[in-house]
Amino acid sequence: MEIGFIGLGQMGKPMALNLIKCGKQVIVNDIKPDAFAEFAELGAQATVKLQDIAACDIIFLSLPDTKAVKRLLLGENGLLGSLRKGQIVADLSTINYTASTELAEALAEKGVEFMDAPVSGMEASAIDGTLTIMCGGKKEIFEKLLPYFRCIGNNVFHMGSHGCGQLSKTINNLLFDINIAAFAELLPMAVKFGLDPEQIGSVINSSSGRSYASEFFIPRILKRNFSDGYPLEHAYKDLISGTELSAQFCIPLPVMHAATSTYQMAMLKGLGNKDKGAMVCVFEDLLGAYCRKD
């Protein structure tokens, strides 16, 4: 089967490369040809023209946000008009739950199958092919896609009907986001009261307060490295998705809303291009207490 892959960004590029390394026939597409050289070396076709992808049996998407996915599929000169019955679109992007179900309905009208399949794991996991993939859609379509998913991830879950993959990703990301916002305000408080930042970081990461987020970000905060993770301005979409679900379905999420305020303060401070660990800078400046190694 011929595979199309649209979106060669931080996560998309290594996923597409891993599909090729698994022996899959892949045509890659991006609006910027910067990443094409590496694919050409592997003998893969690369194109900036969306219509070159339209005939592929399976089309993977890895795009920045809901707006980008909807524009690509449903917008003027979008992909939907060129698709045919029996094709499969698998969306690896992280978009909101309701948009995902709407896209599935729009594609179904043309007989095109849809699978929301957001991935979890940072760039290193994408490179290693060890991502977690949460899938929403028909079980039989999931089974068809599973050999391809196993090229890019080692934990692949069918979570239910359309939208369930995105819903699972949103819940996971919100837990991650809330955790980072929590220690971003608590670490400066510890330093303000005279605790050594490196020692309190070690205590957290060897005690019940530890998490994947703390183990990843606290050592980088101490080194003042705020460039290893996903930028705040892009990650903010998860909090928007959570807020929309909270409002639409009348679900109280007070802790999430509090964490959202921390993200907003960081972005208003001009930290949007930094990773989530940079939220600590907001509270460091407020308290005049800085979390850095001596």
Side-chain angles (χ1 to χ4, degrees):
M1 299 182 79
E2 192 167 50
I3 308 303
F5 198 104
I6 301 172
L8 304 177
Q10 185 180 34
M11 300 295 285
K13 179 182 174 181
M15 288 192 285
L17 286 169
N18 282 332
L19 283 168
I20 294 167
K21 290 171 184 175
C22 275
K24 309 304 181 186
Q25 184 179 351
V26 183
I27 302 174
V28 298
N29 168 274
D30 198 279
I31 57 174
K32 299 177 181 178
D34 302 0
F36 288 175
E38 196 166 348
F39 291 94
E41 290 173 6
L42 295 172
Q45 182 181 341
T47 177
V48 295
K49 297 178 181 178
L50 197 58
Q51 295 309 312
D52 292 340
I53 301 288
C56 293
D57 302 293
I58 300 172
I59 300 172
F60 289 97
L61 310 179
S62 180
L63 299 172
D65 52 32
T66 300
K67 184 178 178 180
V69 174
K70 292 182 76 171
R71 182 172 60 244
L72 181 134
L73 288 173
L74 308 181
E76 187 178 354
N77 301 317
L79 199 59
L80 181 60
S82 303
L83 298 179
R84 67 182 188 279
K85 184 177 181 180
Q87 286 177 284
I88 301 172
V89 174
D91 184 20
L92 303 166
S93 320
T94 298
I95 68 173
N96 69 49
Y97 166 77
T98 52
S100 194
T101 58
E102 290 167 2
L103 288 170
E105 291 172 5
L107 292 170
E109 290 179 4
K110 287 203 68 172
V112 178
E113 301 290 351
F114 181 76
M115 180 70 59
D116 52 284
V119 300
S120 182
M122 296 188 180
E123 185 181 10
S125 296
I127 292 169
D128 295 341
T130 56
L131 293 165
T132 294
I133 310 172
M134 298 145 276
C135 303
K138 296 177 183 176
K139 187 64 181 287
E140 60 267 29
I141 301 303
F142 171 77
E143 295 295 343
K144 285 184 179 180
L145 291 170
L146 191 55
Y148 303 95
F149 288 146
R150 293 211 182 279
C151 294
I152 62 177
N154 61 352
N155 291 295
V156 186
F157 302 95
H158 182 245
M159 301 303 297
S161 58
H162 293 122
C164 288
Q166 294 295 350
L167 185 59
S168 301
K169 176 69 186 291
T170 297
I171 290 168
N172 179 73
N173 279 13
L174 289 176
L175 283 168
F176 186 62
D177 294 343
I178 289 166
N179 193 266
I180 301 165
F183 63 70
E185 67 179 57
L186 291 172
L187 285 174
M189 183 186 77
V191 175
K192 179 74 172 179
F193 281 106
L195 294 178
D196 177 78
E198 193 169 1
Q199 280 195 314
I200 190 60
S202 296
V203 167
I204 292 167
N205 282 334
S206 62
S207 304
S208 57
R210 74 184 181 278
S211 65
Y212 175 82
S214 69
E215 289 173 346
F216 183 86
F217 281 109
I218 289 177
R220 288 165 172 80
I221 288 170
L222 293 170
K223 295 176 183 177
R224 313 312 289 173
N225 177 0
F226 301 121
S227 60
D228 281 353
Y230 203 51
L232 274 164
E233 60 193 1
H234 298 319
Y236 184 59
K237 65 185 177 183
D238 301 319
L239 295 153
I240 293 173
S241 293
T243 300
E244 288 174 349
L245 288 171
S246 175
Q248 184 177 351
F249 297 100
C250 195
I251 299 172
L253 297 173
V255 177
M256 185 211 70
H257 290 300
T260 301
S261 295
T262 297
Y263 277 71
Q264 290 166 339
M265 286 190 290
M267 289 192 293
L268 289 170
K269 194 175 175 63
L271 300 170
N273 63 337
K274 306 295 185 183
D275 67 30
K276 298 175 186 181
M279 284 188 285
V280 75
C281 299
V282 173
F283 298 97
E284 287 178 332
D285 287 347
L286 282 171
L287 299 181
Y290 297 90
C291 306
R292 57 169 65 97
K293 280 187 173 183
D294 292 331

